[in-house]
Amino acid sequence: MAPAPRPPLLSRLGALGPLLGLLALMAVATALNPDFLTVSNLSNVLTRASFIGIIAVGATFVIVSGGIDLSVGSMAALMAGSMILIMNAAAPSLGITGSILLGMLSALLIGVGAGLLHGTAITRGRIEPFIVTLGTLGIFRSVLTYLSQGGSISLDNALSDRYSPVYYGKLLGIPIPILVFAAVALLGGLILNRTRYGRYVQAVGSNEQVARYAAVDVTRVKITTYVIQGLCVGIATLLYVPRLGSASPSTGLLWELEAIAAVIIGGTALKGGSGRIWGTVVGAVLLLSIENVLNLTSIISVYLNAAVQGVVIIIVAFLQRGRRT
């Protein structure tokens, strides 16, 4: 059998578009402000990109399968508030270490539960993902607002001191959030591109009916993608809580926009069927680099960061039009 022809050079260069875009942005940012390329600034960018990057890894699975999750920011806010309340309540009986472990476990369980809820409502209830996750977006944030009585929920000082190394600590000189981000991205890439489940996710997103005829359990595959999304939000929240030690109704605001933007900037098709985790990682770093550049320069107000991200999403969506019919 003759070997498959290699894709055209332009197509191969197009696949590297996100990486080339990031390198171009870094070059421009360095020209505008040499401080951009310092180790401390790059470490800060990567650490902050870790939250959105981890959530975006989960979003990649959902979008590749043909779905969408608009609730991740609200979900993270509810998780953060809930785990702080649980840790504060459990500290007198379980001690500091025990209550922190219980709080971390509760965040992961809330994420898995939210993913199951989304996946089940979408597949069994036959409701559009946009509608389901738009509804839970409001539900999650409203519940947190109720729990906090419109204010903020703060972590006990003793718990905060013991928990803070999860965000501020380093291992081999590398901030822990960056290491966790790298591990999640590596595992996500292996699952999506090197396992049978990953192939099923892409098959479902490419053509659900054909996948069903090929004996793929479409319902189970789609539910699992939302569970992965919830688990990733839980991991990101574990890293976020020790950063500020509190949660409020504004926690996680617009995280869904940033996560979806990171995925599509990274080259994942909005209509599903194909995607790449490394592109999502580059997309998350690129988005946080844009924010960092706005902070370091005065070209555009930092208050317009969400507007810049929205423009980037629209441009990338425009470039992706016709990619799948």
Side-chain angles (χ1 to χ4, degrees), residues 21 109 138 153 191:
L109 290 177
I153 303 172
I191 293 174

Side-chain angles (χ1 to χ4, degrees), residues 236-299:
T237 305
L238 298 183
L239 299 173
Y240 177 81
V241 167
R243 180 187 173 203
L244 298 179
S246 65
S248 71
S250 64
T251 297
L253 210 58
L254 295 181
W255 280 13
E256 53 279 345
L257 173 67
E258 296 182 357
I260 294 171
V263 174
I264 64 173
I265 288 172
T268 295
L270 269 174
K271 295 181 180 179
S274 65
R276 49 201 184 200
I277 298 294
W278 73 263
T280 297
V281 172
V282 172
V285 176
L286 193 149
L287 277 177
L288 268 294
S289 296
I290 292 174
E291 180 182 320
N292 186 251
V293 171
L294 296 180
N295 282 323
L296 292 176
T297 64
S298 57
I299 298 177

Side-chain angles (χ1 to χ4, degrees), residues 116-312:
L116 275 174
L117 172 67
H118 287 155
T120 303
I122 290 166
T123 55
R124 306 288 186 191
R126 298 179 183 276
I127 308 173
E128 288 296 320
F130 174 83
I131 300 299
V132 172
T133 57
L134 185 63
T136 54
L137 177 153
I139 294 170
F140 293 153
R141 198 166 292 281
S142 294
V143 172
L144 173 67
T145 304
Y146 169 76
L147 292 175
S148 66
Q149 294 297 299
S152 63
I153 303 172
S154 298
L155 191 61
D156 179 80
N157 287 335
L159 289 166
S160 183
D161 291 341
R162 183 71 66 84
Y163 195 14
S164 62
V166 172
Y167 176 79
Y168 294 101
K170 294 183 178 180
L171 190 63
L172 301 175
I174 304 173
I176 289 176
I178 297 177
L179 293 174
V180 176
F181 180 24
V184 170
L186 181 61
L187 183 60
L190 288 174
I191 293 174
L192 185 61
N193 300 119
R194 302 294 182 189
T195 67
R196 178 181 298 178
Y197 172 74
R199 291 194 292 274
Y200 286 170
V201 171
Q202 297 181 54
V204 169
S206 180
N207 192 315
E208 188 173 320
Q209 285 302 322
V210 172
R212 205 180 297 276
Y213 293 148
V216 174
D217 189 340
V218 173
T219 299
R220 182 182 65 83
V221 169
K222 295 180 79 170
I223 290 177
T224 309
T225 61
Y226 286 96
V227 171
I228 292 173
Q229 172 73 93
L231 195 58
C232 287
V233 176
I235 294 171
T237 305
L238 298 183
L239 299 173
Y240 177 81
V241 167
R243 180 187 173 203
L244 298 179
S246 65
S248 71
S250 64
T251 297
L253 210 58
L254 295 181
W255 280 13
E256 53 279 345
L257 173 67
E258 296 182 357
I260 294 171
V263 174
I264 64 173
I265 288 172
T268 295
L270 269 174
K271 295 181 180 179
S274 65
R276 49 201 184 200
I277 298 294
W278 73 263
T280 297
V281 172
V282 172
V285 176
L286 193 149
L287 277 177
L288 268 294
S289 296
I290 292 174
E291 180 182 320
N292 186 251
V293 171
L294 296 180
N295 282 323
L296 292 176
T297 64
S298 57
I299 298 177
I300 301 176
S301 170
V302 70
Y303 298 121
L304 293 174
N305 182 44
V308 174
Q309 291 174 349
V311 170
V312 171

Side-chain angles (χ1 to χ4, degrees), residues 19-61:
L19 185 59
L20 296 175
L22 177 60
L23 293 175
L25 176 65
M26 293 178 68
V28 172
T30 305
L32 293 172
N33 191 329
D35 289 340
F36 177 82
L37 216 53
T38 59
V39 174
S40 60
N41 187 60
L42 291 179
S43 177
N44 177 52
V45 170
L46 290 175
T47 301
R48 297 197 60 187
S50 299
F51 303 124
I52 297 303
I54 292 171
I55 294 173
V57 169
T60 305
F61 281 87

